[in-house]
Amino acid sequence: MARALNELRSVYVVGIGWHRYQNPSETSYVTLGLAAIREALADARIEWPAVESSYVATALLGMAAGRPMLRHLGATGAPLLHIENASASGSTAFRQACIEVASGISDVALAVGVDKRNMVRRSDTGIDHLADDAIVPFTHFALLTNEYAGRHHVSVDDIALVAVKNHRNGARNPNAQRQQDRTLDEVLGGKKVSGSLTALQCTPIGEGAAAVIVASDDAIKRLGINPDRAVRVTASVGRSERVYPPGVGFDAALTRETVELALAEAKRTPGDLDIIELHDAFTVEELHYIESIGLCAEGQGIAMLKDGALDIGGRCAVNPSGGLIAMGHPIGPTGIGQIGEITMQLRGEAGARQHRDARVGLAHMVGVGAVCYVHLLERSA
Amino acid sequence: MQPLRLLKSQLYSERGDEGRLADPVLRGGRCRCGYVFFPMQTYGCERCGSHDDALTPQELSTHGILLALAVVHLHADKNRLAPFTVVKVALDNGPVVRTLLADDSGEITLGQRMKAKLVPVRQGDGETVYDLRFTAIV
């Protein structure tokens, strides 16, 4: 019979690391990736030969980018797999690393995401559409913003408050691409992109790397890893889009069903969540997804935002890293960076961004195609 | 009357017997499970997986309701000069489609009745070709 991750042996995040997300530069992806991996190894206080398997998440670097990077850590001969799953590439790599350890096939596995700006090429299905070339992602989400504002009678200026919060969080994150506080006037006054979306309400294009090391109880004991800093992965769910009733937005519907499964797997409710890192590539997404997760009823997201309930120190800190809007979205690294941020928060090591008494965190990514990945992490003690 | 030269004739057509003043139709499909989709294809039904002969062409009326609109201010593709307006329309037959708003459409608001028309767009060789755009029903 099929089983969930939580029914297999326990898996823990034991090491996290980044190369800062940044504007496109001349830095090679090898430099970016190695920095993140070495930081994660140092964080776990283990050496590279202890890693028994690697998952490399990248969407834009082309074929087989992993081995030319990993060989500089000392070629151990350990297996390696590349994962491309659009924006959810990193989340998917993390899930596969967790599954490998939970199954008992490995005791220690690495998920590393690395990407640099590059052309996005999508395969031709042979089915044409009326004007797909006119509807790039920011216009897809501009349409959703217009629809959300109309359906719930909210102002698009209020939707932009998501960006003010996330820029504020990013300003306190040394790994964020955008580290500047922004007022609502600055957000609204920036370059117009599509519909009511302005540049500061959209994720920036950038590069960077994030790495996470997961391990079993056996490995924690054998390698002398500090168990108090290990964060347990209590749910892992991946889903893809189904056919929803006409007019129902697939982004929100897919998130709702994926989160429901993840919460059930960890035996948690939305009210248990202290930290959420979610796919806020565009401001309206944060409202859609907190409503799909069940923090509040549909259309009530703005009220929570205005009450400060989604701030660090509020009822549930949403995107304390700065999210995709401020921390950035280099694609391959993003989902892995979310796991790193939640781990930092649950350990109580998030410094200026620390949410008080954080015990349960949820990571959420969607990817065009469309796929959705959700993980729950919990403090062990 | 000469048929119009269409930019994407596999996706829509003039309604033949009523001439070019009539509304165009979309070339959709219907599965034997009842699922109606656009555009027509025979790879397989997204709802039930039936394929080939189970899927038959069905002309869809372009009449529907406006779900959302967005004026696009920035667009990298030089073949489409911003600004232009994209609309999302729930067809009366079921499928939701997204394409451009006709330049001469009247003011539109959410919930508005919409339909499509064929509008002239220029191509490189100078010959006039027509593409499908939505417009408000006033």
Side-chain angles (χ1 to χ4, degrees):
Chain A
M1 199 182 115
R3 281 188 279 178
L5 185 89
N6 202 19
E7 298 171 292
L8 306 174
R9 70 174 182 163
S10 300
V11 186
Y12 303 86
V13 176
V14 297
I16 57 176
W18 286 269
H19 184 289
R20 183 193 165 177
Y21 301 171
Q22 60 192 18
N23 292 331
S25 75
E26 297 299 312
T27 309
S28 80
Y29 83 85
V30 178
T31 299
L32 301 176
L34 290 174
I37 298 167
R38 288 185 172 127
E39 189 172 296
L41 290 167
D43 180 54
R45 300 196 179 171
I46 62 171
E47 301 292 329
W48 172 242
V51 174
E52 296 159 57
S53 185
S54 292
Y55 292 84
V56 180
T58 169
L60 306 174
L61 296 179
M63 189 188 285
R67 156 77 191 161
M69 171 176 75
L70 296 180
R71 73 189 185 99
H72 299 290
L73 294 161
T76 60
L80 115 88
L81 176 65
H82 296 84
I83 291 192
E84 186 277 303
N85 213 3
S87 291
S89 297
S91 313
T92 310
F94 176 70
R95 172 170 159 81
Q96 295 308 125
C98 288
I99 289 171
E100 183 161 340
V101 170
S103 71
I105 288 172
S106 291
D107 272 327
V108 181
L110 166 75
V112 56
V114 58
D115 256 318
K116 288 183 68 70
R117 178 188 199 166
N118 223 326
M119 283 288 292
V120 175
R121 200 185 132 262
R122 295 199 60 194
S123 303
D124 181 6
T125 61
I127 298 175
D128 201 2
H129 294 278
L130 291 172
D132 266 16
D133 63 293
I135 308 170
V136 298
F138 59 62
T139 295
H140 171 76
F141 288 105
L143 289 166
L144 285 189
T145 304
N146 178 253
E147 208 170 344
Y148 184 93
R151 184 184 306 146
H152 300 301
H153 307 288
V154 299
S155 103
V156 291
D157 291 4
D158 282 347
I159 294 174
L161 288 168
V162 169
V164 176
K165 171 179 69 71
N166 293 351
H167 283 284
R168 180 166 66 238
N169 294 347
R172 284 147 191 81
N173 182 354
N175 289 315
Q177 183 172 346
R178 289 166 160 172
Q179 297 183 27
Q180 200 178 335
D181 278 296
R182 299 289 189 172
T183 63
L184 182 59
D185 284 346
E186 284 176 292
V187 170
L188 294 173
K191 188 160 65 177
K192 281 175 166 303
V193 176
S194 188
S196 62
L197 291 175
T198 50
L200 290 175
Q201 294 186 68
C202 303
T203 186
I205 288 168
E207 62 180 31
V212 161
I213 295 165
V214 293
S216 64
D217 277 308
D218 288 351
I220 289 171
K221 285 198 199 85
R222 176 164 52 83
L223 297 168
I225 294 169
N226 180 357
D228 296 336
R229 294 180 73 244
V231 166
R232 186 159 171 236
V233 184
T234 54
S236 172
V237 179
R239 298 278 298 165
S240 63
E241 185 183 340
R242 295 183 299 122
V243 175
Y244 303 104
V248 171
F250 70 86
D251 314 80
L254 176 57
T255 291
R256 175 170 289 112
E257 63 191 30
T258 311
V259 169
E260 273 174 9
L261 290 168
L263 288 172
E265 183 177 333
K267 299 185 175 60
R268 289 291 181 183
T269 65
D272 294 329
L273 301 173
D274 300 303
I275 305 285
I276 297 175
E277 284 279 315
L278 55 74
H279 183 281
D280 62 326
F282 304 94
T283 39
V284 71
E285 288 188 88
E286 183 163 312
L287 300 170
H288 269 299
Y289 302 143
I290 62 163
E291 293 167 14
S292 299
I293 288 167
L295 285 195
C296 60
E298 253 189 78
Q300 299 303 306
I302 298 262
M304 284 195 87
L305 188 61
K306 285 186 162 176
D307 287 350
L310 310 180
D311 291 350
I312 294 168
R315 200 177 105 196
C316 173
V318 177
N319 286 322
S321 69
L324 279 61
I325 285 176
M327 180 157 183
H329 182 28
I331 315 292
T334 315
I336 294 170
Q338 290 182 325
I339 301 296
E341 172 70 17
I342 293 171
T343 299
M344 209 183 244
Q345 292 281 350
L346 300 187
R347 284 173 172 173
E349 296 177 357
R353 299 192 312 290
Q354 184 62 48
H355 183 67
R356 56 176 162 63
D357 198 26
R359 292 174 174 276
V360 182
L362 181 149
H364 158 273
M365 281 296 277
V366 290
V368 292
V371 295
C372 184
Y373 280 74
V374 172
H375 288 93
L376 260 77
L377 279 74
E378 303 194 26
R379 191 158 86 188
S380 307
Chain B
M1 204 183 288
Q2 283 283 344
L4 300 181
R5 186 173 162 203
L6 302 176
L7 186 66
K8 295 186 172 184
S9 59
Q10 73 282 20
L11 296 183
Y12 46 80
S13 64
E14 298 178 75
R15 199 191 281 280
D17 49 355
E18 293 176 48
R20 69 181 53 167
L21 291 175
D23 300 333
V25 290
L26 291 166
R27 294 181 182 272
R30 173 187 284 272
C31 177
R32 70 173 163 226
C33 77
Y35 186 62
V36 177
F37 52 90
F38 172 80
M40 175 58 192
Q41 48 86 17
T42 54
Y43 290 154
C45 172
E46 191 171 3
R47 190 163 80 179
C48 77
S50 298
H51 54 93
D52 293 294
D53 292 350
L55 307 178
T56 50
Q58 177 170 333
E59 289 189 343
L60 304 177
S61 159
T62 64
H63 287 241
I65 285 180
L66 181 70
L67 293 181
L69 72 132
V71 179
V72 179
H73 304 286
L74 277 183
H75 197 65
D77 183 353
K78 297 284 179 283
N79 294 318
R80 294 216 191 256
L81 290 180
F84 53 84
T85 301
V86 169
V87 292
K88 178 175 173 184
V89 176
L91 301 178
D92 294 343
N93 297 95
V96 173
V97 297
R98 304 185 302 184
T99 191
L100 272 65
L101 181 72
D103 290 337
D104 61 355
S105 171
E107 284 288 298
I108 52 172
T109 51
L110 299 190
Q112 161 103 45
R113 294 290 302 165
M114 304 288 287
K115 67 173 185 177
K117 63 191 260 192
L118 295 169
V119 305
V121 290
R122 286 278 171 192
Q123 278 205 324
D125 58 8
E127 190 180 350
T128 303
V129 295
Y130 288 76
D131 194 15
L132 185 125
R133 298 279 188 274
F134 275 89
T135 186
I137 295 177
V138 271

